[in-house]
Amino acid sequence: MKQKYEILIPEEGRLAIRELAELDKNSMSLLCEETYDLKSVQEAAALGRDFLIHALRTRNLYPPRSYMEKIADAVMPFLAAPSSEPIEVLFDDSTSLSKEILVDELLDLETEEVEVIDDLLEDDYEDASDEGDEIKIDTSIKIADEDVVDGEDEL
């Protein structure tokens, strides 16, 4: 799914973020629009990116951390030099979930980790049936061999 976030100043003293998604082919639909007090956002940005991310996330606008980092990186320069034109941050899930990422992760496995897994899979235990000793269990419940109760008999 393709998503787009627009960062803009709709009115004096306010910052807005619009979340749009491609629900139909080649058509972006508005999912959410959040507005913030511009001064509060600037104060959070002055404290750092994590504070800005925390300030921008709301109950209605809560994208994944990787998206929020890119949005925050786009908001910071926008706050320094606001413009009338919105800034767009684009995401495409089909590229972020590609097979190349999975292959790279598999290649990064260390040889030691693979050897540990191989050790776990080896059958190096002694089989108890080879010993020939009979296992005896002492229980307090004794079952009589000859006292069989038929379920149809009346008591």
Side-chain angles (χ1 to χ4, degrees):
M1 179 170 75
K2 294 179 183 177
Q3 288 182 282
K4 175 170 65 171
Y5 292 87
E6 293 180 345
I7 303 158
L8 62 138
I9 298 180
E11 59 188 61
E12 187 67 33
R14 305 294 294 170
L15 175 80
I17 298 179
R18 293 181 183 151
E19 180 181 19
L20 298 104
E22 186 180 57
L23 302 177
D24 294 324
K25 187 101 174 150
N26 299 324
S27 173
M28 297 297 268
S29 301
L30 180 65
L31 299 178
C32 175
E33 180 175 340
E34 284 290 329
T35 58
Y36 309 89
D37 178 49
L38 186 59
K39 189 170 187 148
S40 311
V41 174
Q42 288 172 333
E43 290 171 357
L47 295 172
R49 183 166 81 169
D50 288 336
F51 287 96
L52 178 60
I53 289 171
H54 182 70
L56 295 177
R57 279 188 161 163
T58 65
R59 184 174 168 192
N60 297 323
L61 182 73
Y62 202 89
R65 175 77 184 187
S66 60
Y67 287 18
M68 277 309 296
E69 288 174 350
K70 291 179 182 179
I71 292 168
D73 290 342
V75 168
M76 290 176 129
F78 185 75
L79 294 174
S83 69
S84 59
E85 292 294 317
I87 294 177
E88 295 181 351
V89 182
L90 302 171
F91 298 99
D92 188 358
D93 288 342
S94 64
T95 59
S96 64
L97 298 175
S98 69
K99 292 181 181 177
E100 293 176 10
I101 294 172
L102 296 175
V103 170
D104 289 342
E105 289 177 7
L106 290 174
L107 293 176
D108 289 340
L109 284 177
E110 295 182 14
T111 310
E112 295 174 14
E113 292 174 354
V114 174
E115 289 175 3
V116 169
I117 293 171
D118 288 340
D119 290 343
L120 292 173
L121 296 174
E122 288 181 10
D123 293 334
D124 59 351
Y125 63 90
E126 293 182 21
D127 192 6
S129 63
D130 293 341
E131 295 175 9
D133 294 335
E134 188 175 317
I135 300 174
K136 295 182 181 180
I137 301 173
D138 186 27
T139 63
S140 61
I141 300 174
K142 301 292 182 189
I143 300 173
D145 292 334
E146 297 176 9
D147 294 340
V148 178
V149 179
D150 193 7
E152 296 177 7
D153 291 341
E154 291 183 19
L155 297 174

